[in-house]
Amino acid sequence: MRLSVKLGALCAAAALLPLLLAWVVVQYTISTDSRELAAERLRSDARVAANIYQKRLVELRLASERLAEEIAGRAAVNTASADRDSGAALARLQDLLPRAQYDLSLDFVIVADPQGRVIARHNSRPAPGETLTGPNYKNPVAERALAEGAQSRTAPVVSTVLEPPEQIERLDLSMLAQVARADGPALDQALVLEAGAPVVAQGRLIGMVLLGQMLNTYYSARPAASALQTPIIAEVRQTLYGIEGRLSGAAISLGDTIIASSVPGDEASSDPALKGTKRDPSRTEETVRDGGRGYAVAWQPIKSLDGSQIGAIGAVVPEGALEGAAASLRAIFISAAVLALIVGGAGGLMFGNELAERLSVLTEAAGRMSVGELSTPVRDPNAQVESRIKTLLARDEVATLADRLDQMRESFRQAIERMRKR
C-alpha cells in the first residue's frame, strides 16, 4: 500500500475518532430526555385536539339553538294540534332543513314533536311511526332535549352519539359512514356529534330539532369555510401542523378501529393514512402501523352523554418524530463525521503524496550514488521553493536526511578524487 494512502486513512481515522467518542457520550446523555420531550409535545397536541373537539360541540349547540328559534319564528311546526301531516308546516320545514344542512355542513337535521315523533328530516319524509324516543331506537340527546323543554328549560343538549346501522341507513348515510377495516368486516356504526334544542313558542314546547355531524369521514373544507364547515380532524391538522402537515394530522377511533384520519396517505392514493387500521383501545399512547410506515399517536377520550367513553380523538406524527432532538443531533454528527472523513482523508492524501515525492527524490539520489554517480547534489524538493512558510515547514527529518546524503555524496566524491591523485 502506498504511503500516501496509509497517511490518508490514518488522518481520516484520527479526525473521526474524537467525533465517535463525543457521539457516544452525547447520545447516552440526551436520547432518553429527548424522546420524553417529544412524547410530551405529542400529548400536548392531543389535548389541543380534544379542546377543538369541545369547541365544535359548543358550535353545534349554538347552531341547534339558532335553528330552533328560526323554526319557532316561522311557525314551521303546527302549534295548534301538533299535526304531523300539516301541509303548510311540512312545506316550511322541507324548505328550511336542507338549506340549514348545507350551510352548516351537517349530515342530518331532524325535527320532532314533543313526544319525539319525527315530523320532518332533511332527506325525505319520515316513515309512519318513526320516532327518536321509541323502544327500538332511542336517541339520548333528543330524549334529554325534550325533557329539558318540558321543564321550560330551553338550553340545547350536545354530545357524541353512537348511531346504529338502522338509523344511519334511514338518513341515507350508510355509504358515507361505512369504514373498511384492515382485517375483519366493515364497520357500519357511526360516531356522530349531535345537538338537540327544544322548539318553544309562546312559552310552550312544540317540538325539538336534532342535528348531527358524523365523525366517520374526512373531506377537504371548502375555501373560506366556516368553523362548522371544516371537519374536526382537518381543523386539528391545520392548527397543529399547518396545511401541509408533513405526514402529521389527527385521527378518530371507535373501539379498536380508526374511523377517520387527516394524516396524508400515499401519493398514489387519495385516501388518508390509518383509516380502518386497528389500534389498542386500552392505551392512550401507541405506535400504529399502516403499510410500511409507523405513526405515534396520543389519544384523548370522546365521551357520550352519560360520561362513558365511546371513542377517542388523537394527534398523529410520524414515528421518527418521537426521537426529537436526538434525530437532529444524529444528523449533525453524521454530517460532521462525513466532513471530517473527507477533510482528514484529503489532507492526509495530499501530505502523503508530498512526502512520497520527497522520499522518491532521495531514493533516486541513493540509486545514483550506488552506481558511482556522485556529481549531482542531493536536494529536498521542498527546500528549492522560495517561501518562508514552505521553508519552515520543510525543515523536518526528510530535509535532514537529504542534507546527510548530500554530505555523504560529497565525502565520497572527495575521497575518490584523492585516490585518483595518488
Side-chain angles (χ1 to χ4, degrees):
M1 183 181 291
R2 290 175 57 84
L3 179 61
S4 59
V5 176
K6 291 181 180 179
L7 285 174
L10 181 61
C11 291
L16 185 62
L17 184 59
L19 284 174
L20 291 177
L21 293 175
W23 166 245
V24 171
V25 174
V26 172
Q27 174 74 3
Y28 177 79
T29 303
I30 72 167
S31 59
T32 303
D33 292 342
S34 175
R35 186 176 181 85
E36 180 56 33
L37 285 173
E40 180 54 39
R41 280 197 299 271
L42 183 60
R43 289 190 285 268
S44 176
D45 290 347
R47 291 191 289 270
V48 172
N51 290 336
I52 292 174
Y53 161 78
Q54 293 294 335
K55 179 174 70 72
R56 182 59 54 89
L57 291 177
V58 173
E59 292 162 350
L60 277 175
R61 179 188 292 118
L62 294 175
S64 67
E65 189 173 29
R66 287 193 298 266
L67 187 56
E69 291 173 355
E70 186 175 0
I71 290 173
R74 295 178 58 178
V77 177
N78 188 349
T79 60
S81 62
D83 184 359
R84 301 175 65 249
D85 298 318
S86 169
L90 183 60
R92 287 189 289 271
L93 284 175
Q94 292 303 129
D95 174 65
L96 177 62
L97 300 190
R99 175 173 57 81
Q101 184 224 4
Y102 176 81
D103 290 343
L104 300 174
S105 287
L106 302 172
D107 288 299
F108 65 81
V109 185
I110 299 172
V111 176
D113 67 12
Q115 286 72 46
R117 295 174 300 179
V118 178
I119 298 173
R121 43 185 164 87
H122 73 281
N123 58 326
S124 62
R125 291 176 64 93
E130 185 176 334
T131 179
L132 298 175
T133 57
N136 296 325
Y137 172 71
K138 183 176 293 187
N139 185 287
V141 171
E143 190 176 38
R144 178 77 65 84
L146 288 171
E148 293 287 323
Q151 298 177 25
S152 301
R153 293 195 293 265
T154 59
V157 179
V158 63
S159 182
T160 301
V161 176
L162 179 60
E163 292 287 5
E166 299 79 15
Q167 178 67 359
I168 294 299
E169 183 177 1
R170 192 176 297 125
L171 297 170
D172 295 330
L173 298 174
S174 297
M175 293 298 295
L176 194 62
Q178 193 173 85
V179 176
R181 290 194 254 200
D183 53 350
L187 190 69
D188 55 2
Q189 294 177 307
L191 277 180
V192 187
L193 300 179
E194 298 185 11
V199 179
V200 178
Q202 299 177 352
R204 186 167 64 90
L205 177 67
I206 60 173
M208 63 89 58
V209 60
L210 180 71
L211 50 84
Q213 233 181 26
M214 191 165 55
L215 296 179
N216 286 46
T217 186
Y218 167 69
Y219 54 88
S220 298
R222 301 193 294 266
S226 66
L228 279 176
Q229 293 169 339
T230 302
I232 290 178
I233 51 178
E235 186 177 354
V236 172
R237 181 185 173 199
Q238 293 172 7
T239 301
L240 293 174
Y241 310 114
I243 297 176
E244 293 300 325
R246 290 190 291 182
L247 300 181
S248 302
I252 293 174
S253 70
L254 171 58
D256 65 351
T257 304
I258 295 177
I259 60 174
S261 165
S262 60
V263 180
D266 196 313
E267 293 181 358
S269 173
S270 59
D271 294 332
L274 295 179
K275 186 175 180 180
T277 304
K278 293 196 68 173
R279 62 160 300 236
D280 184 353
S282 66
R283 302 186 61 181
T284 57
E285 298 176 34
E286 60 181 324
T287 299
V288 181
R289 307 204 69 82
D290 184 10
R293 289 177 178 164
Y295 298 88
V297 190
W299 298 101
Q300 288 287 311
I302 292 177
K303 297 184 178 181
S304 64
L305 197 59
D306 62 6
S308 61
Q309 181 173 343
I310 58 174
I313 184 169
V316 184
V317 297
E319 184 180 15
L322 283 187
E323 296 183 10
S328 301
L329 190 63
R330 184 181 298 113
I332 292 173
F333 268 92
I334 290 174
S335 300
V338 172
L339 183 61
L341 280 173
I342 294 174
V343 173
L349 194 61
M350 291 174 59
F351 178 74
N353 279 330
E354 181 183 359
L355 181 60
E357 182 182 352
R358 295 170 68 190
L359 292 176
S360 177
V361 170
L362 300 184
T363 301
E364 291 177 4
R368 289 194 304 270
M369 291 168 60
S370 68
V371 296
E373 172 57 50
L374 302 175
S375 60
T376 304
V378 179
R379 293 286 184 268
D380 180 11
N382 280 8
Q384 302 174 18
V385 180
E386 295 296 332
S387 169
R388 292 185 178 180
I389 298 178
K390 190 76 171 179
T391 302
L392 178 64
L393 295 177
R395 300 314 301 171
D396 54 16
E397 287 82 354
V398 177
T400 302
L401 177 60
D403 292 341
R404 296 291 184 271
L405 284 175
D406 193 58
Q407 292 173 8
M408 184 174 64
R409 177 197 64 80
E410 184 63 23
S411 296
F412 285 163
R413 189 186 65 78
Q414 292 177 2
I416 293 173
E417 287 293 331
R418 287 194 297 269
M419 291 177 63
R420 284 178 180 174
K421 289 178 180 181
R422 291 179 185 176

